[in-house]
Amino acid sequence: MRVLSGIQPTGRFHWGNYFGAIRQYLQLQEGNEAYYFIANLHALTTVRDRQRLWQDTREAALDLLALGLDPDRATLFVQSDVPEVSELCWLLMTGAPLGLLERCHAYKEKKSRGVTADAGLFTYPVLMAADILAYDAQLVPVGVDQVQHIEVCRDLAGGFNHEYGEVFTIPQAKVLEDAAKVPGVDGEKMSKSYQNTIEIFEPAGALRKKVMRIVTDSRPMEAPKDPQTDHLYQLYSLFASEAERESMAARYRAGGFGYGEVKKALAAAAQDYFAEARQRREELAARPERVAEILGDGAQRARRKAAEVLGRAQRACGVKRPA
Ligand code: ADP
Ligand code: TRP
């Protein structure tokens, strides 16, 4: 199966990104032909700071590699290193109904928050469609919030195929498990937009501080508590072994303990969980030329595939000499 997904470099990755997305990407690199890219062109719709965008793109690559993305198995690249995608985006743009784009929740939501809508924000799903179609991707793992964009992609591909013949592979979304909706330090969904995140590679001291500040209710220590409805327990469960989870759940049900203890256990478990990745990240960070080489190789492989699909599309619509 050809699998593809992109992730925006809009700040450092947090626990929500890991358990909700990155972990699945890593699983899917086994036994599939996987393409993963850092969506810096999409990030450009919200980030207007050149240094930050450049830096966050490199950090994103480092994070993914440290977490186990294997460049020998999966193709890792930066979106803007494949100009064929932007060319394909234009072809798709000429067949993208305005109404379809106007209905997109992500666009409507940003607009309602007062973000000035420019053409980039409005046509964001068309670029996303080009990202997917350029590699003949069959399966696109995404969070629930992106499913509508995959529907747009399927519509655009279907429309193009209907007009010009079978050019594009129609992809399918693979919705990442909802169970992995990771709560943030305030108990709401963890998200950069809510500023309630804990980053995967947070330094140990900062990590402990953030964990100790996780909001909890003020029920007395003696009262037994239901672990399943507690976001602190939910977070702990992500990192703990099954035995640890059960023993913690039993303590919740028995009561007579403080949230401080759970927080300490959570900080320690999280620290352990990412210890190896942290080590790998440090080693890789000391070798920026190796990271550049991995991204360069990835871009080359990605461009080969994208050029083939773009050529097909260009011939089909008459902007390139027929074969
Ligand atoms: P953010 O909300 O912090 O801006 P993104 O929208 O860039 O994060 O998300 C990138 C990926 O991580 C998406 O696939 C998204 O579904 C997933 N993700 C983000 N936050 C969470 C969360 N709290 N729980 C589960 N998955 C998440
Ligand atoms: N819009 C996606 C997000 O914010 C990132 C993305 C860009 C993407 N292009 C893609 C995801 C293509 C899947 C396929 O999460």
Side-chain angles (χ1 to χ4, degrees), residues 4-8 10 25 37-40 42 79 110 124 127-132 140-143 145-146 149-150:
L4 169 137
S5 198
I7 190 156
Q8 292 194 62
T10 45
Y25 299 168
F37 64 93
I38 301 162
N40 61 341
H42 278 110
Q79 187 182 29
K110 288 215 175 82
Y124 181 115
L127 179 58
M128 212 169 135
D131 283 329
I132 298 167
V140 187
V142 284
D145 55 325
Q146 296 296 318
H149 290 159
I150 310 298

Side-chain angles (χ1 to χ4, degrees), residues 1-2 64 80 109 129 132 161 167 199 264 288 298:
M1 200 63 116
R2 210 179 337 257
L64 292 171
S80 63
E109 191 264 329
I132 298 167
N161 284 355
V167 173
E199 273 96 70
K264 275 199 199 121

Side-chain angles (χ1 to χ4, degrees), residues 5-22 25 124 141-146 176-184 188-197:
S5 198
I7 190 156
Q8 292 194 62
T10 45
R12 298 293 304 279
F13 296 140
H14 52 73
W15 291 355
N17 297 140
Y18 181 76
F19 291 101
I22 297 169
Y25 299 168
Y124 181 115
V142 284
V144 187
D145 55 325
Q146 296 296 318
L176 302 174
E177 311 144 31
D178 208 33
K181 193 165 279 177
V182 178
E188 300 300 317
K189 179 191 173 203
M190 187 177 285
S191 169
K192 271 162 294 197
S193 346
Y194 305 149
Q195 294 170 334
N196 62 356
T197 59

Side-chain angles (χ1 to χ4, degrees), residues 39-275:
N40 61 341
L41 295 177
H42 278 110
L44 206 48
T45 60
T46 50
V47 183
R48 296 286 145 80
D49 177 332
R50 113 171 56 107
Q51 203 145 14
R52 233 190 81 203
L53 184 59
W54 179 260
Q55 189 68 27
D56 281 348
T57 303
R58 309 298 116 182
E59 302 280 358
L62 264 178
D63 282 2
L64 292 171
L65 291 166
L67 289 166
L69 197 144
D70 178 357
D72 290 330
R73 290 210 179 112
T75 300
L76 173 67
F77 59 100
V78 175
Q79 187 182 29
S80 63
D81 284 343
V82 185
E84 287 78 6
V85 167
S86 298
E87 285 191 58
L88 184 60
C89 180
W90 180 258
L91 301 188
L92 294 170
M93 203 92 90
T94 60
L98 290 190
L100 185 68
L101 302 179
E102 273 161 355
R103 281 195 294 278
C104 286
H105 305 308
Y107 166 71
K108 286 202 289 200
E109 191 264 329
K110 288 215 175 82
K111 230 177 92 176
S112 74
R113 272 198 284 135
V115 176
T116 319
D118 52 35
L121 192 67
F122 185 60
T123 56
Y124 181 115
V126 188
L127 179 58
M128 212 169 135
D131 283 329
I132 298 167
L133 301 176
Y135 308 99
D136 281 328
Q138 296 160 302
L139 197 67
V140 187
V142 284
V144 187
D145 55 325
Q146 296 296 318
V147 172
Q148 192 185 28
H149 290 159
I150 310 298
E151 282 305 315
V152 170
C153 173
R154 290 165 55 90
D155 275 9
L156 297 181
F160 196 96
N161 284 355
H162 182 72
E163 189 79 38
Y164 299 115
E166 292 303 305
V167 173
F168 295 125
T169 303
I170 310 285
Q172 214 137 47
K174 179 177 166 59
V175 186
L176 302 174
E177 311 144 31
D178 208 33
K181 193 165 279 177
V182 178
V185 294
D186 55 358
E188 300 300 317
K189 179 191 173 203
M190 187 177 285
S191 169
K192 271 162 294 197
S193 346
Y194 305 149
Q195 294 170 334
N196 62 356
T197 59
I198 300 181
E199 273 96 70
I200 300 171
F201 294 109
E202 198 93 60
L207 171 85
R208 248 190 320 274
K209 263 197 203 137
K210 281 197 179 175
V211 169
M212 293 321 275
R213 279 201 223 108
I214 292 175
V215 176
T216 49
D217 63 32
S218 52
R219 282 174 297 176
M221 275 178 63
E222 299 74 38
K225 300 172 178 86
D226 177 8
Q228 298 312 329
T229 58
D230 183 63
H231 56 264
L232 195 54
Y233 177 79
Q234 254 172 295
L235 285 172
Y236 177 74
S237 302
L238 295 171
F239 301 104
S241 67
E242 191 158 348
E244 290 168 326
R245 263 200 303 274
E246 272 168 23
S247 117
M248 183 64 84
R251 299 186 65 194
Y252 264 76
R253 289 192 203 98
F257 73 101
Y259 283 124
E261 288 174 60
V262 191
K263 288 179 178 176
K264 275 199 199 121
L266 168 59
Q271 188 70 26
D272 261 14
Y273 192 91
F274 291 122

